[in-house]
Amino acid sequence: TDLSHIRNFSIIAHIDHGKSTLADRLIQQTGGLTEREMTSQVLDNMEIEQERGITIKAQTVRLNYVANNGETYELNLMDTPGHVDFAYEVSRSLAACEGALLVVDAAQGVEAQTLANVYQSIEHDHEIVPVINKIDLPAADPERVRTEIEDIIGIDASEAVLTSAKSGIGIAETLEAIVAKIPPPKGDRDAPLKAMLVDSWYDPYLGVVILVRVIDGVLKKGLRVKFMQAGTEHLIDRVGCFRPKIEQLPELGPGEIGFITAQIKEVAQTAVGDTITTVVRPAAKALPGFKQVQPVVFCGMFPVDAADFEKLRESISRLRLNDASFSFEMETSAALGFGFRCGFLGLLHLEIIQERLTREYDLDLITTAPSVVYRIQLNKSRTDDAREIMLHNPADYPDPSRIASIEEPWIKAVIYTPDEYLGSILKLCQDRRGVQKDLTYVGGRAQVTYELPLNEVVFDFYDRLKSISRGYASFDYEQIGLREGDLVKMNILVNAEPVDALSMIVHRGVAEARGRHMCERLKDLIPRHLFKVPIQAAIGGKVIARETIAAMRKDVTAKCYGGDISRKKKLLDKQKKGKARMREYGSVSIPQEAFIAALRMG
Ligand code: GTP
């Protein structure tokens, strides 16, 4: 296709504003899908994605569109995920496009996440085409939303397309707007090949599939290519695109987006942002490339049944084949046995992986409290001259006398909320050691900016925010670096033994409250024993909170008054079963549920 007839665009929107529905309509209208195939959303094809309604992996579909001027255009639509955890995927798809559809819900209006993505898009010099969706809703107010887009985002929305993706209104107009407003790509067919590696994933039939955007030159089957950053060479064995069904093509020319395969076994061999060129006539300079994504939230994952450890290892390795953004290494815990320390881009990412392990791989898991990465400066010691460590796991906390300073990651959070919830939201941020930076009002809604320690956000900040605002507040964040903090390791001791899986790094100022909360929780969760069981929270040798589980009567059957023998038997059976799911901890048995519940604390 000649460059003037190509349009590459992505769709940016806040979660639930209708991005996937609109994408499916565009595919349907241009003949990629039948009405029946439309019923199940096509772009989200993983089971969990559908259930959660979240698009995890960015995908690209090519559409052939015959415009009102009679000419046929090649439209490459890149789907992008809407959630903060996946912001890096948004960034890489934006880099492969010349424009974006900005989808805004006609009733909800502009939200914080929308802003973050629009600004990224503007940074990429994109032409932004506003689309006001869900105009069929009774609460729809397209004129208010049009003004909001102009006031808040600062782009002209006078020609915004009004759509109802659900009922198929405004779809033809959207396609015309794409052709008219989004500029065609530039590129040189005769220049040395230069293609950007946009994304890659593992497919059981094709091996690693690589999504590319060709800048200059031509990609063809049989070509020997070089990945400039990785320094590796591969032979291309397939070239094609998705419509959304897979289709092989003779070539991908400049400006085009499509996929290649080259018998690559692991996603880890394909760095996103790498430049692909030919071996015989390489490009002089590589593309700027992307920032490497780093996991920011870590937790331990342990099988409930120790016999499942190998199965867990296999399942995690298989998931990792397809998602190079999470990391794992083996970990042993005295309380929980063998498991893995895993790193994620954020809490949602953690939840998705956890859910896939549970559901697709049928594993019963215990996940320890999420923790961030701390940088610790050490004093020199005689035996060890390490100066600095990055702490991913509270269990590796060094001897406190060696610690010179601890730094923790901070974020800048932008929260966008209807006015009536502002008070409670400010209190929440304040309680989480937040520092208010800005507060402005736009059209009856408040936009508040806070700097917060990530440590205080990974617990349950998002859930709390949603519950106090009845789901109306939206939240977006970016990392702003490390800051020193008065951070300590808090141990939980059951019957004077520290339980490693429950220890955590906390700010000294909130340690006592957290410790008390944890002890109270555990008191209710751990059953009585034949002896008194103290539960304590301690920092170093100093106990900061304490609860005691009273001893139980000698024989549970005593309360049966010797009468009913079957009842007695049942009770004994129950006791036995209970035991099977306990972890023996010193002389104390802690039921699995107690760990899970204690670790889910807020
Ligand atoms: P994520 O994939 O989670 O980012 O969400 P999304 O922006 O892709 O939203 P999606 O297309 O999944 O739509 C969210 C919900 O809004 C679904 O229940 C859709 O059926 C509904 N929806 C989408 N478009 C319209 C519309 O025009 N009108 C109405 N009434 N509902 C719509």
Side-chain angles (χ1 to χ4, degrees):
T1 315
D2 78 281
L3 289 157
S4 67
H5 286 75
I6 300 175
R7 299 289 182 275
N8 298 317
F9 66 101
S10 60
I11 306 184
I12 48 188
H14 186 70
I15 289 174
D16 274 352
H17 283 198
K19 187 183 52 195
S20 306
T21 314
L22 180 67
D24 290 350
R25 280 288 174 198
L26 297 177
I27 298 169
Q28 187 197 21
Q29 186 99 354
T30 52
L33 281 180
T34 62
E35 183 72 38
R36 196 167 53 82
E37 286 168 317
M38 244 310 276
T39 52
S40 53
Q41 285 201 350
V42 195
L43 285 187
D44 304 25
N45 53 17
M46 270 189 279
E47 182 195 359
I48 293 174
E49 279 188 44
Q50 275 192 9
E51 275 185 33
R52 291 180 161 250
I54 291 170
T55 312
I56 300 168
K57 197 101 207 143
Q59 300 218 18
T60 297
V61 179
R62 179 178 296 189
L63 317 170
N64 280 337
Y65 171 58
V66 184
N68 291 348
N69 63 8
E71 312 253 327
T72 303
Y73 291 85
E74 170 189 324
L75 312 181
N76 292 301
L77 184 175
M78 302 195 87
D79 196 17
T80 54
H83 193 276
V84 281
D85 285 359
F86 303 106
Y88 81 102
E89 291 205 350
V90 176
S91 156
R92 67 165 91 144
S93 9
L94 294 183
C97 297
E98 282 75 37
L101 296 184
L102 167 64
V103 178
V104 183
D105 185 317
Q108 300 277 321
V110 175
E111 315 233 20
Q113 181 62 47
T114 324
L115 286 179
N117 287 348
V118 172
Y119 291 142
Q120 275 204 43
S121 188
I122 292 172
E123 262 171 48
H124 282 96
D125 280 333
H126 280 179
E127 187 59 40
I128 295 170
V129 178
V131 174
I132 300 175
N133 187 36
K134 304 201 189 183
I135 55 163
D136 60 295
L137 289 178
D141 188 352
E143 284 318 307
R144 192 202 77 211
V145 173
R146 206 193 287 271
T147 318
E148 252 184 44
I149 295 174
E150 297 193 334
D151 290 353
I152 302 171
I153 302 175
I155 58 173
D156 178 10
S158 60
E159 291 180 30
V161 189
L162 303 187
T163 64
S164 165
K166 196 168 158 189
S167 29
I169 299 169
I171 308 304
E173 290 80 356
T174 307
L175 287 162
E176 280 300 308
I178 292 166
V179 169
K181 303 248 168 79
I182 294 172
K186 296 191 183 82
D188 181 355
R189 198 180 165 87
D190 300 321
L193 175 69
K194 205 183 236 189
M196 176 169 60
L197 199 160
V198 180
D199 197 4
S200 64
W201 60 93
Y202 182 79
D203 180 280
Y205 300 105
L206 305 174
V208 173
V209 179
I210 298 172
L211 189 69
V212 293
R213 156 72 199 261
V214 180
I215 311 291
D216 292 321
V218 180
L219 266 172
K220 278 194 179 109
K221 182 174 166 173
L223 205 61
R224 271 204 84 77
V225 290
K226 185 174 174 172
F227 291 8
M228 294 178 81
Q229 187 182 316
T232 52
E233 290 182 11
H234 304 277
L235 185 68
I236 295 185
D237 59 3
R238 277 189 210 86
V239 172
C241 68
F242 303 96
R243 288 186 180 278
K245 285 171 197 138
I246 195 162
E247 182 177 311
Q248 293 204 37
L249 296 170
E251 62 164 58
L252 289 172
E256 292 193 301
I257 299 174
F259 76 87
I260 57 170
T261 63
Q263 299 199 350
I264 296 172
K265 299 277 182 302
E266 283 180 44
V267 176
Q269 291 176 270
T270 56
V272 167
D274 206 341
T275 308
I276 302 171
T277 189
T278 55
V279 173
V280 287
R281 196 178 157 224
K285 229 175 110 204
L287 297 161
F290 291 93
K291 261 190 303 190
Q292 193 69 28
V293 290
Q294 292 288 352
V296 290
V297 176
F298 285 76
C299 75
M301 287 191 170
F302 296 85
V304 166
D305 182 349
D308 278 341
F309 174 74
E310 273 311 318
K311 189 172 164 198
L312 177 61
R313 183 208 296 278
E314 271 169 36
S315 313
I316 287 189
S317 312
R318 218 167 314 148
L319 281 183
R320 157 84 199 179
L321 278 182
N322 226 338
D323 183 352
S325 58
F326 95 92
S327 67
F328 68 98
E329 59 182 50
M330 213 183 112
E331 172 178 19
T332 47
S333 150
L336 303 174
F338 290 105
F340 294 94
R341 190 82 192 160
C342 305
F344 307 90
L345 299 175
L347 283 181
L348 179 77
H349 191 209
L350 185 162
E351 265 179 55
I352 285 169
I353 298 283
Q354 185 184 343
E355 207 166 306
R356 293 189 63 182
L357 287 169
T358 314
R359 253 212 273 191
E360 291 170 31
Y361 296 94
D362 194 26
L363 282 160
D364 239 349
L365 294 177
I366 301 180
T367 309
T368 64
S371 153
V372 300
V373 182
Y374 300 92
R375 182 162 72 190
I376 303 184
Q377 305 293 341
L378 298 171
N379 298 315
K380 253 214 199 122
S381 88
R382 256 177 307 136
T383 47
D384 181 359
D385 51 26
R387 285 294 184 76
E388 179 181 299
I389 52 173
M390 299 304 283
L391 185 76
H392 297 110
N393 187 348
D396 301 329
Y397 191 78
D399 175 357
S401 68
R402 284 211 60 203
I403 298 177
S405 70
I406 305 186
E407 291 160 297
E408 61 180 330
W410 279 64
I411 59 167
K412 186 172 104 186
V414 178
I415 299 164
Y416 202 58
T417 176
D419 206 15
E420 66 238 68
Y421 309 113
L422 184 63
S424 336
I425 290 175
L426 295 181
K427 182 168 184 317
L428 174 69
C429 293
Q430 237 32 71
D431 288 349
R432 301 299 171 96
R433 298 193 277 135
V435 182
Q436 192 179 315
K437 284 292 169 190
D438 191 26
L439 175 61
T440 52
Y441 287 88
V442 198
R445 287 204 264 179
Q447 179 188 311
V448 51
T449 308
Y450 259 92
E451 291 180 353
L452 286 154
L454 183 60
N455 162 325
E456 302 287 338
V457 174
V458 294
F459 273 109
D460 62 342
F461 184 86
Y462 194 61
D463 293 343
R464 299 271 310 123
L465 182 71
K466 283 286 164 193
S467 84
I468 58 184
S469 70
R470 309 219 182 148
Y472 279 111
S474 53
F475 166 73
D476 184 43
Y477 69 82
E478 59 178 312
Q479 297 200 56
I480 52 172
L482 295 163
R483 290 183 192 173
E484 196 170 335
D486 190 5
L487 297 156
V488 288
K489 179 182 177 186
M490 180 172 78
N491 282 315
I492 302 293
L493 295 86
V494 175
N495 205 23
E497 296 258 358
V499 180
D500 58 359
L502 298 178
S503 65
M504 61 177 85
I505 310 287
V506 289
H507 190 263
R508 202 185 294 275
V510 298
E512 200 183 316
R514 284 267 163 82
R516 204 174 318 121
H517 185 77
M518 196 74 152
C519 290
E520 282 164 12
R521 280 288 269 275
L522 285 170
K523 184 187 172 195
D524 296 334
L525 291 166
I526 298 176
R528 291 182 172 198
H529 283 66
L530 295 173
F531 44 89
K532 261 200 303 201
V533 177
I535 300 173
Q536 298 159 308
I539 296 171
K542 187 165 167 263
V543 173
I544 55 169
R546 180 192 168 107
E547 292 284 337
T548 306
I549 303 172
M552 76 173 168
R553 273 181 290 174
K554 273 248 144 47
D555 183 359
V556 276
T557 59
K559 52 180 153 182
C560 298
Y561 306 108
D564 183 351
I565 191 79
S566 73
R567 170 110 195 271
K568 203 168 189 171
K569 220 173 140 239
K570 237 189 232 158
L571 256 175
L572 285 171
D573 275 355
K574 212 166 153 196
Q575 225 179 8
K576 228 192 259 160
K577 242 202 217 126
K579 220 177 206 136
R581 278 184 284 117
M582 302 256 189
R583 294 274 175 184
E584 295 301 323
Y585 216 77
S587 47
V588 177
S589 313
I590 305 180
Q592 220 60 263
E593 294 80 15
F595 277 111
I596 297 171
L599 291 169
R600 275 234 172 96
M601 67 156 229

